Amino acid sequence: MADMISVLRLSLPLGLWLASFSAVYGLHGLLCSSRWAAPPIALSERALLIGATLAAIALQALCLLILRSPRWREPDPRLRNIGLALATVALLATAWTMLPVVAFSSCL
């Protein structure tokens, strides 16, 4: 059981990144769809994209804080360092991959 919790600690940050990446880019595709609205993204729709991006970044930061807390900390120091490194990479990846949607999104 302890091994499965260690695997969860290692895989959770990157799994959250994958889910948030898919959700934000899927939302962008939905907002650009002709069934949703006219192709130029309106200010309220851009605010929705920014909110989803900020929520994804906050979720990754929360995951990093949880993995650092004494209650959820990995007992093995090597796995703890790897988990924290993966959580940091996932936080940076979330900010980096969401930046184009927020800054340069347009429907062509």
Side-chain angles (χ1 to χ4, degrees):
M1 180 70 171
D3 291 336
M4 293 306 292
I5 292 173
S6 296
V7 170
L8 180 64
R9 285 185 186 118
L10 292 174
S11 63
L12 182 65
L14 293 176
L16 287 175
W17 169 77
L18 177 63
S20 62
F21 178 84
S22 300
V24 169
Y25 276 84
L27 178 63
H28 181 260
L30 180 67
L31 293 175
C32 285
S33 170
S34 62
R35 295 181 185 207
W36 180 265
I41 295 180
L43 191 57
S44 63
E45 294 165 341
R46 184 169 299 278
L48 186 63
L49 279 173
I50 292 170
T53 298
L54 290 176
I57 292 170
L59 187 63
Q60 288 292 347
L62 179 66
C63 183
L64 182 61
L65 289 175
I66 287 172
L67 289 176
R68 290 180 55 93
S69 73
R71 183 175 181 195
W72 297 102
R73 183 176 296 162
E74 175 66 41
D76 182 9
R78 287 181 299 147
L79 288 178
R80 181 175 43 238
N81 290 337
I82 292 170
L84 291 174
L86 288 174
T88 303
V89 166
L91 176 62
L92 294 173
T94 300
W96 181 257
T97 58
M98 304 296 174
L99 180 67
V101 169
V102 174
F104 307 112
S105 64
S106 64
C107 302
L108 299 174

